[in-house]
Amino acid sequence: MVKEFVTHQYWAVVLGGSSGLGLAAVRKLAEHGMNICIVHRDPRMDMEKINAAFEAVRATGVQLISFNADAINPEKRAEILLALKEQMNGIGKVRCLLHSIARGNLKAMVSENGPVLGIDDFRLTMEGMAFSLYEWTQELVNSGLFAPDARIISFTSEGSSKAWKHYAAVSAAKAALEAITRNIALEYAGQGLRANCIQAGITNTRSLQMIPGSEQLISYDKTRNPFQRLTTPEDIANVVYLLCKDEAAWINGAIIPVDGGSHIS
């Protein structure tokens, strides 16, 4: 295994890195020598399993610090960045900010026997799944922690441009996330930032399982995918790694489908 990130003392800040796509990306980047700072929000009952996963990452030889905190809270964000700066101790820079926050409301717009999606639901979903990308980017720039060539990566889905029941708030957030990414790519280019969204295919994660009707999405995607299978977290992690390599420096402002070709059917 080539650990090309070690010599630069690079770090990845991963928002939502305790499971699913975020954790798979953490594992992949760590395998190649990138130090990791994870911000996640999980109940105490899940922490034994999560801490075991984090220890396995540390066993690869990288530094890993984690914070079970609300990534949307400005005070917590400031505390985390201060702690990260202290951990770096003047050595290394943040090569990658990976946004993998899955904090969306899945209420229906019309429901006869359940709660109905409200404007506050839209606001909370947009804050968690879209606006937070800009807030973290801005704070990392202001703190001077980014490397001269840094990568901003976030996860979107086909739901940003398609209507799925119960997905309206998340769909709006994903569309906003893509728009924010494009403008980061444009307006922060002078500071060395490259920003891209990975449009992940249907991946059987805990977040997908929370969507009402997810079984139908899984079944449909298996039939239309050229390889007749779902996307895996490792498929996505591989592309996160590729986007962090020097050779990916000219990819900027893109929405990249990583679904084995499902989107062409």
Side-chain angles (χ1 to χ4, degrees):
M1 180 70 65
V2 177
K3 297 195 173 186
E4 62 265 53
F5 301 129
V6 169
T7 56
H8 299 283
Q9 288 290 310
Y10 279 148
W11 283 77
V13 175
V14 182
L15 310 178
S18 61
S19 64
L21 306 185
L23 180 57
V26 163
R27 288 172 171 149
K28 183 68 177 182
L29 294 175
E31 285 176 0
H32 290 269
M34 194 173 293
N35 300 308
I36 306 292
C37 171
I38 298 174
V39 185
H40 63 105
R41 193 65 172 150
D42 290 287
R44 186 176 300 174
M45 61 183 291
D46 294 338
M47 288 309 301
E48 182 177 354
K49 180 180 178 181
I50 291 168
N51 285 330
F54 291 171
E55 283 302 320
V57 173
R58 291 188 183 99
T60 65
V62 301
Q63 297 180 63
L64 184 150
I65 58 174
S66 64
F67 303 88
N68 192 357
D70 184 3
I72 315 304
N73 184 293
E75 290 78 19
K76 291 294 183 183
R77 185 165 55 246
E79 291 174 10
I80 291 165
L81 290 178
L82 180 60
L84 174 59
K85 193 169 187 175
E86 291 175 352
Q87 181 75 20
M88 287 179 168
N89 196 27
I91 302 173
K93 290 287 186 178
V94 174
R95 170 70 150 191
C96 173
L97 170 62
L98 178 61
H99 186 284
S100 182
I101 295 176
R103 182 179 172 178
N105 198 292
L106 295 168
K107 295 176 186 174
M109 283 184 162
V110 178
S111 177
E112 294 181 357
N113 53 16
V116 174
L117 188 67
I119 294 301
D120 284 344
D121 298 319
F122 272 104
R123 289 195 186 100
L124 290 172
T125 304
M126 296 283 280
E127 286 174 2
M129 300 186 74
F131 302 158
S132 57
L133 176 68
Y134 175 57
E135 290 174 323
W136 276 88
T137 298
Q138 192 177 49
E139 289 295 327
L140 278 162
V141 168
N142 292 342
S143 67
L145 292 178
F146 270 130
D149 172 8
R151 315 299 166 85
I152 314 296
I153 304 170
S154 57
F155 298 139
T156 186
S157 73
E158 280 189 279
S160 67
S161 58
K162 294 184 177 180
W164 298 336
K165 288 183 179 180
H166 300 270
Y167 204 73
V170 178
S171 180
K174 293 298 189 184
L177 182 72
E178 294 176 10
I180 290 167
T181 294
R182 284 190 291 270
N183 266 74
I184 290 173
L186 173 68
E187 299 192 46
Y188 282 101
Q191 299 187 49
L193 302 190
R194 281 82 168 162
N196 297 286
C197 283
I198 292 175
Q199 182 181 292
I202 299 296
T203 312
N204 195 4
T205 61
R206 183 173 60 185
S207 297
L208 175 72
Q209 293 163 8
M210 292 175 65
I211 302 173
S214 59
E215 298 85 358
Q216 287 80 9
L217 288 173
I218 290 171
S219 178
Y220 172 61
D221 196 65
K222 284 181 178 178
T223 61
R224 68 170 178 154
N225 186 282
F227 298 100
Q228 301 292 290
R229 71 166 176 85
L230 298 180
T231 302
T232 68
E234 290 71 29
D235 292 325
I236 304 303
N238 288 339
V239 179
V240 170
Y241 159 65
L242 290 174
L243 288 173
C244 288
K245 290 174 66 66
D246 289 345
E247 291 83 351
W250 207 235
I251 303 173
N252 190 35
I255 311 300
I256 305 169
V258 183
D259 59 11
S262 287
H263 69 285
I264 64 177
S265 299

